[in-house]
Amino acid sequence: MAKASIHKGHRERLKERFLTEGLDNFTDTQALELLLFYAIPQKDTNPIAHELLAHFGSLSRVLEAPVEELKKVPGISDHSATLLSLVTALSRYYQVDCSQRVEMLTTLDACGAYLVPYFFGRTRETVFLLCMDAKCKVICCREVGEGSVNSASISVRSIVEVALNTRATTVVLAHNHPSGVAVPSVEDVQTTRRIAAALQAVEVHLADHIVVSEGDYVSMVQSGYRFDVPMLP
């Protein structure tokens, strides 16, 4: 009973500290410990938080870890693993929702800033197509494939179909490099030219291809790449 009372007092103090100070002065262990209160109502979560950080190496890696990997850590149930996994997904959802408040994207920088949140916390390469009308008003931003933009799973036809179905006149392609820098590869450039040619054939303009990595991005157009240059044989 005394031990339970100590844990209760500790939980209340940590919650109150968060409500008055925020997380800025919390350690990674304390932040995880606080989060786990809501999945593990009775048990001391401090040792579990330490185990998670020791297993994955950092707070960000804990929150990006697959549910099945999280459950390998002692004390982490399916319920706890789901809560931890939810944090990154919900953070991305929040950031995308904030970016969608902007309706008109009249510059390439505005397009880049709009697209970056879609890749927050993603550990796999994903491709999105931002579709706009003739006045640069956002129609939608659709995921068009998972994997490298050059992979067989990314269909040029599906990209063209999304552009036509949304009646877009201008589109921006975007994909991420989860484990590298935001610099387009030779293959990225060649694939982009193929996509640009296919879109041009149906009178849709590919304005740019944005490459995202770790919250930063590179615009191919601003970097000097041209999509109307014929591909090398």
Side-chain angles (χ1 to χ4, degrees):
M1 181 67 70
K3 188 174 181 181
S5 178
I6 291 170
H7 287 164
K8 182 178 179 181
H10 174 65
R11 285 173 178 243
E12 292 305 320
R13 287 192 295 273
L14 206 58
K15 289 177 189 176
E16 184 61 31
R17 182 181 163 196
F18 164 68
L19 291 173
T20 56
E21 301 176 14
L23 283 177
D24 290 346
N25 295 318
F26 274 52
T27 64
D28 289 355
T29 302
Q30 290 168 334
L32 271 178
E33 184 183 1
L34 176 61
L35 179 61
L36 289 169
F37 288 170
Y38 299 94
I40 307 172
Q42 302 298 330
K43 195 173 181 180
D44 182 6
T45 59
N46 183 275
I48 302 173
H50 277 288
E51 286 280 351
L52 284 165
L53 290 167
H55 184 87
F56 293 103
S58 69
L59 178 62
S60 60
R61 287 177 179 169
V62 170
L63 299 178
E64 292 170 356
V67 167
E68 292 306 315
E69 286 298 313
L70 288 166
K71 287 163 63 176
K72 293 178 182 178
V73 175
I76 295 296
S77 64
D78 184 71
H79 188 55
S80 304
T82 301
L83 177 65
L84 292 169
S85 184
L86 176 64
V87 173
T88 298
L90 189 60
S91 297
R92 179 168 61 245
Y93 196 100
Y94 164 75
Q95 291 186 40
V96 168
D97 185 67
C98 288
S99 75
Q100 288 177 344
R101 296 174 190 170
V102 179
E103 296 184 353
M104 306 287 285
L105 301 174
T106 56
T107 67
L108 295 180
D109 284 334
C111 292
Y114 184 94
L115 285 159
V116 165
Y118 283 84
F119 299 96
F120 176 80
R122 293 188 186 273
T123 56
R124 297 187 62 182
E125 289 196 32
T126 312
V127 184
F128 281 88
L129 190 70
L130 171 61
C131 301
M132 296 175 285
D133 65 15
K135 295 182 179 180
C136 296
K137 183 177 181 180
V138 176
I139 299 171
C140 68
C141 187
R142 296 268 181 87
E143 182 178 332
V144 292
E146 194 172 72
S148 167
V149 73
N150 318 302
S151 69
S153 64
I154 310 302
S155 166
V156 174
R157 178 176 177 176
S158 67
I159 290 172
V160 171
E161 286 177 349
V162 169
L164 290 175
N165 290 338
T166 58
R167 297 184 179 180
T169 58
T170 300
V171 297
V172 175
L173 193 66
H175 82 284
N176 60 327
H177 288 174
S179 58
V181 293
V183 175
S185 66
V186 173
E187 292 79 11
D188 288 340
V189 176
Q190 291 177 337
T191 301
T192 303
R193 289 174 182 163
R194 283 198 295 273
I195 294 169
L199 288 166
Q200 186 177 19
V202 293
E203 299 182 340
V204 176
H205 173 57
L206 179 63
D208 203 352
H209 185 165
I210 301 292
V211 183
V212 178
S213 181
E214 297 181 351
D216 195 10
Y217 72 90
V218 167
S219 156
M220 285 195 184
V221 169
Q222 290 179 336
S223 299
Y225 293 100
R226 292 177 55 192
F227 305 145
D228 57 349
V229 178
M231 289 184 300
L232 295 175

